[in-house]
Amino acid sequence: MPPNLDQIPRERLPALLRTMPKAELHLHIEGSLEPELIFRLAQRNGVTLPYASVEALRAAYAFTDLQSFLDIYYAGASVLLKEADFFDMAWAYFERAAADHVVHAELFFDPQTHTERGVPMETVIVGLEHACRRAHAELGISASLILCFLRHLSEEAAFATLEQALPYRRHFIGVGLDSSERGHPPEKFARVFAKCRDLGLHVVAHAGEEGPPAYIESALDVLKVERIDHGVRCVESPALVQRLARERMPLTVCPLSNVKLCVFETMAGHNLPALLDAGLCATVNSDDPAYFGGYINENFIQTFEALPQLNAAHAWQLAANSFEASFVPEADKAAWRHELERAFEAEQPR
Ligand code: HPA
Ligand code: ZN
């Protein structure tokens, strides 16, 4: 950590949070579909939506829990049919990410949401991969894909999905587990995750968003994940918090998502400061930014605004954690850390 972080005045924090380089590690690309783009793609593809207008769709974004969100999120994804649709969706995200000084992004995608509607796996992966390649070439963002299995479906369906995706193995770096958490514990997917590890894929899983700390433990012990997505309910088990800190197991925390889905009543009540103070490798991410009211910088800004105990040292730690937790070579992490140091040096009083 650079010296004199405590001398950076609080009023400089928003600018610093915006301009510091950062990695985004928990972003569902289908959750970046803005209502305007949903309507444009619906028109382009002749899909009829159950909403009369952009405004009517946006008005439906009043969620009470994870499931109430997922129902609308899967409906929104129904407009994605062609390779160009997947490209356009991801490109729109990358343009916003570049504006937020994201230098590296690992994007989740939900192939089963599309293949179940008859969209070929190739269409999904090739469209997304094309956008990742162009983001690197034109925006300087390093980007990769993580294939998520829907946990409300069977392990057999996950195996079939993996089989369909293997011809495109070079286009994704890992697998994850998302969708409805309660009643679908990680161990349901033990065998398919074992196969993925054998294939050399990185493995992550959503756990401890709505599910209990025991789901975080089984994600670690049974699925042998390298990161926990969300994980905020770990604080209910002090022994688990100690273990996560000892193992430097990253948690990809999504503050605006947590408030929108009523995991926390208010941002002021979010446990991010407690996670950081416990020495956890926590990161800040946007989850489904089109649905939850903001992209990654908005997550940083609103979290720091609501939690005055968060300071410049925490901002530094969160950005440094995002690089530490990334699935990239050490040399890339070192280069981004240097960029981070320069961003903080520019804010030092002289
Ligand atoms: N949790 C679980 N599944 C999801 C989420 C989430 O926050 N976003 C998209 N799919
Ligand atoms: Zn998520």
Side-chain angles (χ1 to χ4, degrees), residues 50-240:
Y51 300 93
S53 64
V54 165
E55 293 69 34
L57 177 56
R58 206 168 247 127
Y61 293 1
F63 312 117
T64 49
D65 61 4
L66 176 58
Q67 194 59 50
S68 65
F69 154 69
L70 289 170
D71 294 342
I72 288 188
Y73 162 86
Y74 294 130
S78 70
V79 299
L80 297 160
L81 294 179
K82 304 278 192 319
E83 198 179 298
D85 306 337
F86 290 90
F87 174 87
D88 289 348
M89 168 175 68
W91 184 252
Y93 164 71
F94 285 127
E95 287 191 312
R96 290 190 181 248
D100 281 0
H101 296 259
V102 170
V103 295
H104 174 68
E106 294 175 13
L107 277 52
F108 292 141
F109 68 108
D110 286 342
Q112 286 158 296
T113 303
H114 315 301
T115 53
E116 285 211 324
R117 297 180 290 114
V119 178
M121 183 68 81
E122 179 182 11
T123 300
V124 179
I125 297 186
V126 170
L128 295 176
E129 200 277 330
H130 180 193
C132 290
R133 235 177 325 124
R134 191 159 150 202
H136 193 232
E138 293 185 20
L139 303 171
I141 297 180
S142 137
S144 40
L145 298 172
I146 296 180
L147 181 160
C148 279
F149 300 118
L150 298 182
R151 69 201 303 160
H152 68 273
L153 301 179
S154 67
E155 187 180 45
E156 197 184 356
F159 267 116
T161 301
L162 178 63
E163 207 57 46
Q164 290 165 24
L166 281 183
Y168 314 98
R169 165 70 185 85
R170 66 193 179 284
H171 294 323
F172 58 100
I173 60 163
V175 297
L177 190 62
D178 66 1
S179 188
S180 324
E181 187 181 6
R182 285 199 201 112
H184 302 285
E187 48 271 35
K188 180 175 163 186
F189 296 91
R191 288 168 306 165
V192 73
F193 267 65
K195 167 125 191 242
C196 291
R197 294 196 309 273
D198 285 346
L199 289 165
L201 288 159
H202 287 290
V203 291
V204 300
H206 284 53
E209 177 187 19
E210 285 191 344
Y215 282 20
I216 300 176
E217 281 163 358
S218 56
L220 296 172
D221 295 331
V222 180
L223 303 186
K224 303 188 195 308
V225 296
E226 300 161 81
R227 293 195 300 245
I228 296 284
D229 296 310
H230 293 295
V232 290
R233 285 193 61 191
C234 70
V235 296
E236 293 166 35
S237 164
L240 176 58

Side-chain angles (χ1 to χ4, degrees), residues 218-346:
S218 56
L220 296 172
D221 295 331
V222 180
L223 303 186
K224 303 188 195 308
V225 296
E226 300 161 81
R227 293 195 300 245
I228 296 284
D229 296 310
H230 293 295
V232 290
R233 285 193 61 191
C234 70
V235 296
E236 293 166 35
S237 164
L240 176 58
V241 171
Q242 277 182 15
R243 173 184 181 184
L244 294 168
R246 191 171 61 244
E247 296 179 3
R248 284 222 47 84
M249 177 58 57
L251 300 189
T252 61
V253 178
C254 307
L256 280 172
S257 162
N258 290 156
V259 175
K260 280 279 178 187
L261 300 188
C262 308
V263 174
F264 294 94
E265 257 176 51
T266 63
M267 191 63 94
H270 199 284
N271 66 10
L272 182 67
L275 300 175
L276 289 171
D277 291 346
L280 300 188
C281 185
T283 63
V284 165
N285 308 270
S286 65
D287 209 6
D288 302 282
Y291 293 90
F292 298 151
Y295 288 75
I296 192 166
N297 277 3
E298 202 53 35
N299 273 272
F300 272 106
I301 299 284
Q302 290 198 30
T303 307
F304 276 65
E305 232 171 51
L307 294 156
Q309 64 270 52
L310 292 176
N311 57 33
H314 292 109
W316 165 273
Q317 193 65 57
L318 286 164
N321 288 350
S322 76
F323 300 137
E324 180 184 339
S326 298
F327 296 139
V328 295
E330 282 306 319
D332 291 345
K333 297 185 186 186
W336 294 327
R337 273 185 74 106
H338 276 120
E339 273 187 50
L340 181 61
E341 275 163 31
R342 282 199 295 277
F344 274 72
E345 276 160 18

